[in-house]
Amino acid sequence: MTILGGRRRGGPTGPADEELPPLVAPSATSGLLEVFRRRYLLRLLVRREISARYQGSFLGLFWSYLQPAFRLAMYYFVIAVVLDRGIENFAIHLFTGLVIVHFFTESFGAGTRSIVRNKALVQKMAVPREMFPVASMLVSAYHVVPGMVLLTGFCLALGWTPDLVGMAAGLLGFALVAVLGTALALLFSAANVFFRDFSNVVQTLTQFSTFSVPMIYPYTLIQERFGDFAQYYLVNPLAEAVLLLQRAFWTGTTDDPAATAAEHMPDNLFQLGFIHLGVALVVLAVGQYVFTRLENKIPERL
């Protein structure tokens, strides 16, 4: 009996011309859709990343609560107490920015290093290599949860009541950062295989994120200082994401949420958010294309 072209030829013990599945090369198919089709592998990789981060740690996941709390206390003392910005409920204004900026920098930075960091798996396992940047984004989202718990608790203590518009703004902000972080991670993770300098470039870029968003200062300050040019400030998608999350949480804790939103939020907040999300999806498609073109060369360069 022989196999030719996916069809078994007859022999003395079996019928002729019995259909068999087509022959497939023993290599992984690629693409983001294939990543989510193999959700079980993605879950295993995410669990592995989370376990590795807290391996040998006595406090474990509790560090994810302590670290944002310490950052909040430090920024609040320096900026609200020492510099006295005079922003109502400044701690919430600041912490919403910290949460979303941390999500982006973790997704971008860890995603950029993900291929090189997992080179043993990349070389030995037939999995879509896009899985590693995607897993880094999901791990970063997992570590945002403690910050969100703290943020929600602070807001509730100040009398915050969720509203549908605010929740929609928050979801849009997180979707924007998740897509953009994954898109940039795809691009830079492939480039980092060929030139390790890209991980240092990402670290340098993310250092500016704290000061390039309306987190330690209000958006109205940009409007006052730069007038009509303030609109170009919102070309930064991370600044837009911070404003969306502030609309979801911070404005609802102030004495007059409607007046605060009118004063501190741009009129076209949602319009800009959807535009940025559309651009992020285009960047994701470009990142997937570039990653696919470079994918076959990745194992030999590792």
Side-chain angles (χ1 to χ4, degrees):
M1 179 180 67
T2 59
I3 298 177
L4 295 174
R7 185 183 297 274
R8 186 173 64 187
R9 301 303 296 269
T13 60
D17 297 333
E18 182 179 346
E19 291 290 341
L20 288 177
L23 297 178
V24 179
S27 60
T29 55
S30 61
L32 290 172
L33 292 179
E34 186 67 17
V35 170
F36 291 101
R37 192 178 72 83
R38 302 189 181 196
R39 292 185 296 274
Y40 64 100
L41 286 177
L42 185 60
R43 284 196 298 269
L44 290 176
L45 189 58
V46 170
R47 289 175 183 172
R48 172 180 172 272
E49 293 286 333
I50 293 172
S51 299
R53 179 171 297 196
Y54 298 114
Q55 187 175 11
S57 173
F58 176 72
L59 294 178
L61 183 62
F62 192 59
W63 280 113
S64 294
Y65 290 88
L66 283 177
Q67 289 172 342
F70 277 123
R71 282 198 300 270
L72 172 62
M74 178 185 65
Y75 277 108
Y76 181 77
F77 177 77
V78 172
I79 298 170
V81 178
V82 177
L83 299 180
D84 189 17
R85 288 296 184 190
I87 303 173
E88 187 178 1
N89 292 337
F90 176 76
I92 305 300
H93 182 279
L94 171 65
F95 199 46
T96 51
L98 282 175
V99 168
I100 200 73
V101 167
H102 180 67
F103 181 29
F104 173 75
T105 56
E106 279 286 304
S107 299
F108 189 15
T112 297
R113 299 186 299 269
S114 61
I115 300 293
V116 173
R117 192 174 64 242
N118 292 282
K119 63 179 180 180
L121 293 178
V122 172
Q123 292 172 329
K124 295 177 182 178
M125 291 184 64
V127 297
R129 297 183 180 102
E130 294 91 341
M131 188 171 291
F132 299 100
V134 172
S136 296
M137 184 274 291
L138 293 177
V139 171
S140 300
Y142 176 84
H143 287 103
V144 164
V145 173
M148 289 300 299
V149 171
L150 291 173
L151 176 60
T152 303
F154 290 146
C155 289
L156 290 173
L158 292 171
W160 170 69
T161 301
D163 65 287
L164 291 178
V165 175
M167 292 300 96
L171 290 174
L172 179 57
F174 273 109
L176 170 57
V177 170
V179 174
L180 183 63
T182 305
L184 293 176
L186 276 175
L187 279 170
F188 280 80
S189 63
N192 192 50
V193 171
F194 297 88
F195 301 100
R196 299 296 197 271
D197 307 81
F198 276 94
S199 62
N200 295 322
V201 170
V202 171
Q203 289 180 355
T204 303
L205 290 175
T206 53
Q207 288 177 359
F208 292 99
S209 58
T210 301
F211 305 99
S212 64
V213 300
M215 181 175 72
I216 59 179
Y217 53 83
Y219 174 64
T220 50
L221 184 62
I222 300 296
Q223 291 177 313
E224 292 172 3
R225 297 288 176 85
F226 300 102
D228 293 337
F229 289 98
Q231 60 182 323
Y232 298 108
Y233 174 84
L234 294 178
V235 171
N236 177 7
L238 193 56
E240 171 67 17
V242 169
L243 285 171
L244 285 165
L245 205 66
Q246 287 174 346
R247 173 62 185 84
F249 291 94
W250 171 63
T251 58
T253 65
T254 59
D255 293 335
D256 190 343
T260 301
E263 180 182 359
H264 292 279
M265 300 289 137
D267 296 333
N268 54 349
L269 180 67
F270 278 91
Q271 180 183 356
L272 285 172
F274 282 111
I275 290 174
H276 278 301
L277 181 59
V279 173
L281 289 170
V282 172
V283 176
L284 182 64
V286 172
Q288 173 67 89
Y289 174 77
V290 173
F291 194 95
T292 302
R293 293 295 300 269
L294 298 176
E295 185 178 17
N296 292 333
K297 301 178 182 178
I298 286 177
E300 64 186 51
R301 295 301 295 265
L302 287 173

